[in-house]
Amino acid sequence: FPMAATDPQVLALAAQITESREQDIPPLLLKLKGILSSPSLGCEESNKIKQDMYDYGLTQYCLLVLKRDHSQLHGAWATAAQLAEILSHCCVGLEVKEDPEEFYKKFLPSAIDTLLVLGKRLQARFTRAIKDKEKQDFLHWFRIVTDAICWLFGGHIQLAACVLQNDRFLQLLITDDVETAIIMMSVLHNILRINSSVLLQVEEETLHSVLDELVYKLSSTTNPAVGSAATKLLLFVAKFCKQLVQLLTARYKGLKGLLSKQWTGKGFDREVNQLLDLLYLEQSSGKGEMQKQHQAACIIQAAWRGFQTRKRLKKLPQAVITLQRSFRAKREQELQHLTKQKEDEALKLQMQLQRQRAMRLFHQRQLALLEVVHASQVNKYMQEMEEKSALTIQRFWRGYRARRIFHQQKQSLKEYKAAIIIQRAACKFLEKRRRRRPLSPWKEPKGLTDEQRLALQQKVDDYIKLHPASQMSEEMSKELHMQAQAKLAQFLLRSRLDQRAAQRREALLAQVNTDVELLMNAPGLAETTEKDLGAFMSRSIPVATKARQTHNTMLKYTRWPWWKKLGDEFMEDDVIPDGAINTELETLFIGGRK
């Protein structure tokens, strides 16, 4: 931060912005407008405040906020337009003494580019807007941004060429909308008024693009406002430089007729007549020179056309042969394509017929087998056929997948085999080379000197001192032994109890399985004998009592009169209310549980 006296409002705003969140910064930056427009400020004080704003980074904050996307927040476009105006006022009249190259070569061009991008977004929103209120708002904000651009390059003349050479300026100028087109032509008029030589400083392509758009607006619209603005710009360009008048005369042949026929009597005849006078004057002065150039061009063209004709006649037989060859090759290719297409269609039809025939035979074979197979074995037969079909499909799919993987890995297998052969040859070569090399005589390892031995012994002693061995007394050993014996006894007792519980579970499972088999193999009621009834009678008195009570309840329910069953119209026949069956359940004891 600068050491000189700083405006307290700027200092407080900078501190507040530093401590605020990112979404709260744009409304805070709008306070700069009130600071700059204070009536008590003089010229020197205003420049001093602008310098403080730049030193404290408030101007850079404005530029960063303008680079954001304002389409997601409510009221962000109005804030962006006001920040654009504040940014232009902060930069005009500011003279940076420390690192001026950063300000003039980087910051100002970046500000111009950002404002043009903002103007392009506002122009697009204005074009897509449907409601009149939205269109008026976007047009108002667009005009504020363009005024900020004009104010900025008006304070820094070198930015006029930067604006004109920017692609987004041409995009803004090339529009069919009347309101924004008039505003952009007024911006171009301000550029030419501030720096009239800027058209000679820009590239030729940029100059041609600007002039093409102005002439296009004259030829494509009948709006007097657009025509007047374009005519005044062309007149300003023609008055400035004779070179540009020559360019207009040579590049746009029908411009004079367009001006005299379409734009005469539209309310700006004075400008139209002045432009026509300049164009006709240039045409009359350059008519003799143009005639000489025309005659020379005719001679050159005649000689060139004669040379080209003679050259073409020499190459004509070869060209005819080449054309015939290419035609025959193309016709042969088309015939091959048609033949292949017919063969593919015939093969597809044949495959479809074979598939239909196979399906028909398969269904006939199935029907014949179903007539032979017993009814009780149909489901089993169908399941076997499905399993066989699934196995066949899986076998074909695995074969196809294996063949595909093999073809994919064929090259890698070749490379792997080649690598094995190369490695084998290299190993054989190294083995032969190793056998030819004479063996080196045996060298005894060097022993340790006395000094090395003493140093090693010292290291061992130091390690033993740092890591002494743990020692345990006899009482601790006995106590540890008793704890291990107690835990072992607990483990053995627990394992024995777990083993008994597992045996009990297995016995219960066996009993359940036996009961299930008895129930599955039970005969019908008509075939039941006393022996069969004995197999299903429970040996538990509570269970038998519960079964008897349930049976009596079901009999009572079946003998109820119709008026007691009025609420059971939608119940199934074999469903009995739980309240009627579960009577006196709390008084039964089954298996030791209530």
Side-chain angles (χ1 to χ4, degrees):
F1 290 111
M3 298 303 293
T6 307
D7 187 79
Q9 295 180 351
V10 176
L11 188 60
L13 184 60
Q16 191 175 2
I17 290 175
T18 306
E19 297 173 356
S20 300
R21 295 180 300 174
E22 186 177 356
Q23 58 268 24
D24 297 335
I25 292 178
L28 293 175
L29 290 174
L30 295 179
K31 296 181 179 179
L32 293 174
K33 187 174 183 180
I35 297 174
L36 291 172
S37 60
S38 179
S40 61
L41 293 178
C43 182
E44 294 182 0
E45 294 176 352
S46 177
N47 294 336
K48 178 64 173 60
I49 288 178
K50 293 177 182 179
Q51 183 67 40
D52 293 341
M53 291 178 182
Y54 182 79
D55 292 339
Y56 278 91
L58 298 179
T59 311
Q60 292 86 334
Y61 262 120
C62 291
L63 183 60
L64 290 175
V65 171
L66 288 174
K67 289 182 179 180
R68 296 180 187 171
D69 185 12
H70 307 282
S71 59
Q72 304 297 329
L73 301 176
H74 179 71
W77 294 112
T79 304
Q82 295 181 28
L83 288 177
E85 185 179 9
I86 292 170
L87 178 63
S88 63
H89 282 81
C90 289
C91 293
V92 173
L94 176 61
E95 295 181 1
V96 179
K97 297 179 180 179
E98 296 182 1
D99 198 5
E101 186 176 356
E102 175 73 20
F103 177 72
Y104 291 104
K105 297 295 182 64
K106 295 183 180 180
F107 183 78
L108 289 178
S110 178
I112 285 291
D113 186 71
T114 304
L115 293 178
L116 289 173
V117 170
L118 180 59
K120 181 63 181 174
R121 292 176 180 172
L122 289 171
Q123 187 187 49
R125 292 277 175 173
F126 170 76
T127 306
R128 292 198 299 266
I130 300 175
K131 299 179 181 179
D132 293 338
K133 181 67 170 58
E134 292 183 358
K135 293 181 76 69
Q136 292 299 326
D137 290 340
F138 281 113
L139 183 63
H140 175 65
W141 297 331
F142 180 74
R143 188 176 286 110
I144 291 175
V145 173
T146 53
D147 291 343
I149 295 172
C150 295
W151 183 263
L152 189 57
F153 66 70
H156 301 278
I157 302 176
Q158 73 276 9
L159 293 178
C162 181
V163 174
L164 199 59
Q165 288 178 346
N166 197 301
D167 295 336
R168 293 179 179 85
F169 175 78
L170 294 177
Q171 294 173 6
L172 288 168
L173 185 63
I174 301 173
T175 179
D176 294 331
D177 184 68
V178 176
E179 290 86 349
T180 57
I182 293 172
I183 293 173
M184 290 311 300
M185 283 192 285
S186 67
V187 173
L188 180 59
H189 189 273
N190 290 330
I191 293 173
L192 297 178
R193 181 175 54 81
I194 291 170
N195 188 0
S196 56
S197 63
V198 69
L199 290 176
L200 299 178
Q201 298 173 4
V202 298
E203 297 179 357
E204 186 178 359
E205 183 179 358
T206 304
L207 176 61
H208 289 172
S209 300
V210 172
L211 295 177
D212 290 345
E213 181 59 24
L214 294 177
V215 175
Y216 172 76
K217 289 186 185 303
L218 288 174
S219 62
S220 63
T221 185
T222 57
N223 191 298
V226 178
S228 174
T231 304
K232 289 178 181 178
L233 279 172
L234 290 175
L235 178 61
F236 192 89
V237 169
K239 283 182 178 180
F240 166 68
C241 183
K242 188 177 180 181
Q243 265 183 330
L244 299 179
V245 180
Q246 295 175 358
L247 178 62
L248 290 173
T249 307
R251 188 175 177 85
Y252 310 104
K253 301 293 184 182
L255 180 59
K256 297 183 291 295
L258 177 66
L259 291 171
S260 58
K261 292 178 181 179
Q262 186 171 343
W263 295 107
T264 303
K266 297 291 184 178
F268 49 94
D269 293 343
R270 186 168 62 86
E271 289 82 1
V272 173
N273 293 330
Q274 289 180 5
L275 183 58
L276 286 173
D277 292 340
L278 290 174
L279 295 175
Y280 280 120
L281 181 63
E282 177 62 27
Q283 185 178 6
S284 61
S285 61
K287 191 171 181 180
E289 185 66 25
M290 288 291 295
Q291 189 174 4
K292 290 181 182 179
Q293 292 180 0
H294 180 70
Q295 291 177 356
C298 289
I299 294 171
I300 294 171
Q301 289 176 358
W304 173 251
R305 290 194 185 99
F307 169 72
Q308 288 284 72
T309 303
R310 290 189 294 272
K311 187 177 180 181
R312 195 181 302 113
L313 289 174
K314 288 181 181 178
K315 292 183 178 180
L316 187 61
Q318 186 65 28
V320 171
I321 293 171
T322 304
L323 181 63
Q324 291 176 349
R325 186 186 300 113
S326 62
F327 174 74
R328 294 191 187 100
K330 186 176 181 181
R331 186 174 60 182
E332 184 68 23
Q333 187 177 1
E334 290 179 353
L335 291 174
Q336 290 179 0
H337 179 69
L338 290 174
T339 305
K340 185 178 179 182
Q341 189 175 1
K342 290 180 180 179
E343 291 177 355
D344 292 341
E345 291 178 355
L347 180 61
K348 186 177 180 180
L349 182 61
Q350 187 177 1
M351 292 292 293
Q352 188 175 0
L353 291 174
Q354 289 180 0
R355 192 178 297 110
Q356 291 177 356
R357 192 179 297 112
M359 289 294 294
R360 191 181 299 111
L361 291 174
F362 174 72
H363 288 307
Q364 290 177 359
R365 194 181 300 114
Q366 270 192 336
L367 291 174
L369 288 172
L370 288 174
E371 291 177 358
V372 175
V373 176
H374 193 266
S376 61
Q377 301 293 326
V378 170
N379 292 333
K380 184 178 180 182
Y381 170 72
M382 293 299 294
Q383 186 176 1
E384 291 178 356
M385 290 299 295
E386 289 178 358
E387 291 178 356
K388 288 182 180 179
S389 302
L391 290 173
T392 304
I393 294 171
Q394 290 174 1
R395 185 172 63 253
F396 276 98
W397 166 249
R398 290 184 184 122
Y400 165 74
R401 186 176 61 181
R403 287 190 296 273
R404 188 177 64 180
I405 293 173
F406 175 75
H407 285 300
Q408 290 176 355
Q409 296 179 351
K410 196 172 182 180
Q411 184 64 27
S412 60
L413 288 173
K414 286 183 180 180
E415 294 176 357
Y416 178 72
K417 291 180 179 179
I420 290 175
I421 293 171
I422 294 171
Q423 289 175 358
R424 188 184 297 118
C427 291
K428 287 182 180 179
F429 170 74
L430 292 175
E431 184 65 25
K432 288 180 181 179
R433 189 174 180 181
R434 195 180 298 111
R435 288 177 182 175
R436 292 175 185 174
R437 186 182 300 169
L439 297 175
S440 59
W442 170 256
K443 294 182 179 180
E444 295 183 359
K446 295 182 179 179
L448 294 175
T449 61
D450 295 338
E451 296 179 355
Q452 293 177 349
R453 192 176 291 106
L454 290 174
L456 184 59
Q457 185 63 34
Q458 184 65 31
K459 288 182 180 180
V460 171
D461 295 339
D462 294 341
Y463 182 82
I464 292 172
K465 289 179 181 179
L466 291 174
H467 304 86
S470 60
Q471 296 180 358
M472 186 179 295
S473 63
E474 186 176 357
E475 295 178 356
M476 293 178 65
S477 299
K478 288 181 179 181
E479 185 179 356
L480 184 61
H481 176 70
M482 292 300 292
Q483 291 178 2
Q485 290 294 328
K487 289 184 179 180
L488 180 60
Q490 290 177 2
F491 171 74
L492 293 175
L493 180 60
R494 193 182 300 109
S495 63
R496 194 176 297 112
L497 293 175
D498 292 341
Q499 186 177 2
R500 289 178 183 177
Q503 291 176 358
R504 180 176 177 81
R505 283 195 298 272
E506 291 177 358
L508 290 175
L509 285 173
Q511 184 179 356
V512 170
N513 291 330
T514 304
D515 294 341
V516 169
E517 289 179 1
L518 287 174
L519 291 173
M520 294 295 292
N521 299 325
L525 292 176
E527 303 173 358
T528 306
T529 61
E530 292 183 1
K531 187 178 179 179
D532 296 330
L533 290 174
F536 290 99
M537 290 179 66
S538 175
R539 292 183 297 275
S540 176
I541 295 175
V543 172
T545 305
K546 174 63 178 175
R548 191 180 299 110
Q549 288 178 357
T550 305
H551 180 66
N552 294 332
T553 304
M554 290 176 65
L555 291 177
K556 288 180 182 179
Y557 182 77
T558 55
R559 289 195 290 268
W560 277 357
W562 62 270
W563 48 271
K564 283 189 178 183
K565 299 179 183 180
L566 286 177
D568 304 332
E569 290 87 350
F570 302 101
M571 292 177 60
E572 297 181 0
D573 296 338
D574 55 346
V575 177
I576 300 171
D578 294 337
I581 296 176
N582 299 328
T583 57
E584 298 296 331
L585 184 62
E586 291 82 1
T587 60
L588 279 175
F589 290 86
I590 300 175
R593 293 187 180 181
K594 188 176 180 180

